[in-house]
Amino acid sequence: MDLIEKIENVKNKIPEIQSANLEELEKIRSLVLGKKGELTTLLRGLKEVDEKERGKVGSLANLVRTEIEEQIQVRTKALQKEIINQRLENEKIDVTLPGTKHRLGHMHVLQQIQNEIEDLFISQGYRVVYGNEIESDEYNFERMNLPKDHPARDMQDTFYIDSETLLRTQTSAMQARIMEKHDFSKGPLKMISPGLVYRRDDDDTSHSHQFHQIEGLVIDKNITLADLKGTLQMLIDSLFGQGHAIRLRPSYFPFTEPSIEVDVSWNKVDSSTEDSDIQWIEVLGAGMVHPKVLEMSGIDHNEYSGFAFGLGPDRFAMIKYEIDDIRNFYLNDLRFIEQFKQVKK
Ligand code: PHE
């Protein structure tokens, strides 16, 4: 077989190229065109060819090389396209499939009530201050006129951290912290302070060892019990709607004098309602700030007076939504929580 024939024979590889995969193509390329490849080896024999023939053989070899290269290129492109198409096919997304629904959270019912009360008092010019749940004995008790041996401390069975530090039993602890810093030349003191408080109660339908309170405090010249009553009526009207009566009963707290407990009527009341038809529910404690409490925070009780109240938003929510077990608020059971997606007015 002469050289020309041998070179022509290299073209026999073409059908092989046309059905090769990428790996096989690479092998064929080096087998045919590589440094030690078939065509290269054949061309090394060119110097033995007759000088007249050499040009012809050389250009034939180039033609064959170009053709093989072209065939490899065509096949490579076709294979690459195939791979892309395959991937597109595999990764096809059905845009008509229904998507995954994300569950949206919402505010806890107690947070809703708290926000509602905050908004109301902010609209009346009060500031909102948040204290710490870990409080000193001094602010929680002593500055509220409850010295260490005071019997009324038993009313609020306390979780102590050490002898001077405790989980606050009442948001009243914020009263002294705010009073001692207030600058009366800038106007009256009006604040509410919402937050969690803790007591060593046994949990049952109406008791929880943790619950919320919202403290209210107003101090200025000439503040009277009538201001307190008007403020509380405004709160009840706004929260439960018009028509619910409030009743003040004498009570005792060491930090207020006089002290009152406030009941609200469950049912709506008008001039034709008989007293015996009214159902009362106790909702908060309040009173006129005790002169001693004012003095301990550096406020002259001959010049200034004030009222304070402490209400339980848990209680309010229970009345408003007819919830019969306070523990529901703290169990994180979605079947309960999701019933309060929006504030119902
Ligand atoms: N701190 C009192 C309690 O927890 C409530 C209260 C607040 C009473 C303010 C009077 C004035 O029971």
Side-chain angles (χ1 to χ4, degrees):
M1 218 193 313
D2 69 359
L3 194 55
I4 292 191
E5 220 171 314
K6 280 184 186 157
I7 293 173
E8 285 284 2
N9 272 349
V10 173
K11 283 210 221 163
N12 291 342
K13 292 273 181 210
I14 288 175
E16 207 180 311
I17 292 173
Q18 283 164 344
S19 64
N21 64 26
L22 281 177
E23 216 175 302
E24 288 160 355
L25 277 183
E26 208 33 60
K27 269 193 198 141
I28 297 173
R29 182 202 299 282
S30 66
L31 223 62
V32 179
L33 309 173
K35 268 191 192 157
K36 289 181 183 152
E38 211 175 320
L39 205 54
T40 325
T41 317
L42 286 175
L43 283 175
R44 273 199 206 109
L46 205 58
K47 39 186 176 331
E48 269 121 61
V49 173
D50 188 52
E51 223 169 299
K52 277 185 274 162
E53 294 282 296
R54 224 180 260 169
K56 206 171 121 205
V57 178
S59 62
L60 174 69
N62 270 335
L63 271 177
V64 171
R65 161 184 284 274
T66 320
E67 190 168 354
I68 299 268
E69 270 173 353
E70 250 172 42
Q71 288 293 336
I72 290 179
Q73 207 178 24
V74 168
R75 179 64 184 159
T76 309
K77 280 213 176 119
L79 281 172
Q80 277 165 350
K81 206 168 160 190
E82 221 169 86
I83 289 170
I84 288 174
N85 284 341
Q86 188 99 51
R87 266 178 64 184
L88 286 176
E89 187 58 36
N90 290 345
E91 292 170 13
K92 199 152 88 181
I93 300 168
D94 181 355
V95 289
T96 65
L97 273 177
T100 329
K101 278 221 174 96
H102 292 281
R103 268 166 91 127
L104 279 185
H106 62 90
M107 254 184 282
H108 191 278
V109 56
L110 289 178
Q111 187 65 50
Q112 294 178 28
I113 289 262
Q114 181 177 318
N115 289 359
E116 217 180 312
I117 295 172
E118 284 184 18
D119 286 348
L120 174 70
F121 280 101
I122 289 168
S123 78
Q124 305 292 315
Y126 287 65
R127 37 188 295 232
V128 181
V129 289
Y130 303 98
N132 294 323
E133 288 168 27
I134 295 177
E135 187 50 280
S136 64
D137 185 278
E138 184 190 346
Y139 282 95
N140 192 82
F141 286 131
E142 286 177 50
R143 294 282 293 275
M144 297 312 292
N145 200 24
L146 274 146
K148 286 239 157 68
D149 55 355
H150 199 291
R153 282 198 178 206
D154 295 346
M155 287 161 68
Q156 303 182 1
D157 211 349
T158 309
F159 289 110
Y160 276 92
I161 293 166
D162 58 40
S163 62
E164 294 305 322
T165 325
L166 43 81
L167 292 181
R168 66 176 174 192
T169 60
Q170 50 184 0
T171 45
S172 300
M174 284 306 284
Q175 286 193 23
R177 289 194 179 273
I178 296 301
M179 274 191 271
E180 67 185 10
K181 279 192 256 156
H182 190 75
D183 177 359
F184 283 93
S185 70
K186 299 214 165 106
L189 186 166
K190 294 169 84 177
M191 71 95 175
I192 59 164
S193 185
L196 273 168
V197 298
Y198 300 85
R199 290 185 197 177
R200 291 177 46 186
D201 273 331
D202 288 330
D203 292 0
D204 61 27
T205 53
S206 57
H207 293 86
S208 167
H209 61 281
Q210 76 170 29
F211 57 98
H212 291 79
Q213 276 194 337
I214 299 180
E215 194 74 11
L217 179 67
V218 171
I219 297 172
D220 198 5
K221 291 176 179 158
N222 306 318
I223 298 288
T224 69
L225 203 62
D227 298 310
L228 172 59
K229 190 174 180 190
T231 303
L232 296 176
Q233 186 70 61
M234 168 205 73
L235 169 70
I236 300 301
D237 288 350
S238 159
L239 226 54
F240 299 119
Q242 300 280 331
H244 293 270
I246 59 172
R247 177 172 78 172
L248 312 188
R249 281 181 294 108
S251 184
Y252 172 75
F253 298 105
F255 33 91
T256 45
E257 182 57 38
S259 299
I260 55 170
E261 256 162 339
V262 181
D263 300 334
V264 58
S265 73
W266 179 273
N267 45 335
K268 294 205 173 183
V269 170
D270 60 27
S271 52
S272 67
T273 316
E274 299 283 341
D275 274 1
S276 56
D277 290 336
I278 306 177
Q279 285 172 274
W280 296 105
I281 303 148
E282 187 198 321
V283 289
L284 58 93
M288 300 306 291
V289 180
H290 198 292
K292 261 174 128 174
V293 171
L294 291 175
E295 290 304 311
M296 277 189 278
S297 291
I299 298 171
D300 181 356
H301 73 267
N302 293 312
E303 205 180 341
Y304 291 95
S305 58
F307 66 73
F309 58 84
L311 61 88
D314 309 46
R315 226 46 218 304
F316 277 62
M318 286 173 81
I319 297 169
K320 189 165 176 169
Y321 300 122
E322 299 182 27
I323 296 161
D324 58 8
D325 191 334
I326 192 172
R327 291 170 293 192
N328 282 325
F329 294 130
Y330 301 102
L331 293 177
N332 292 333
D333 184 339
L334 288 179
R335 288 170 304 179
F336 172 78
I337 288 174
E338 287 185 342
Q339 291 177 48
F340 305 96
K341 283 223 160 112
Q342 272 138 3
V343 181
K344 286 179 243 156
K345 278 255 176 184

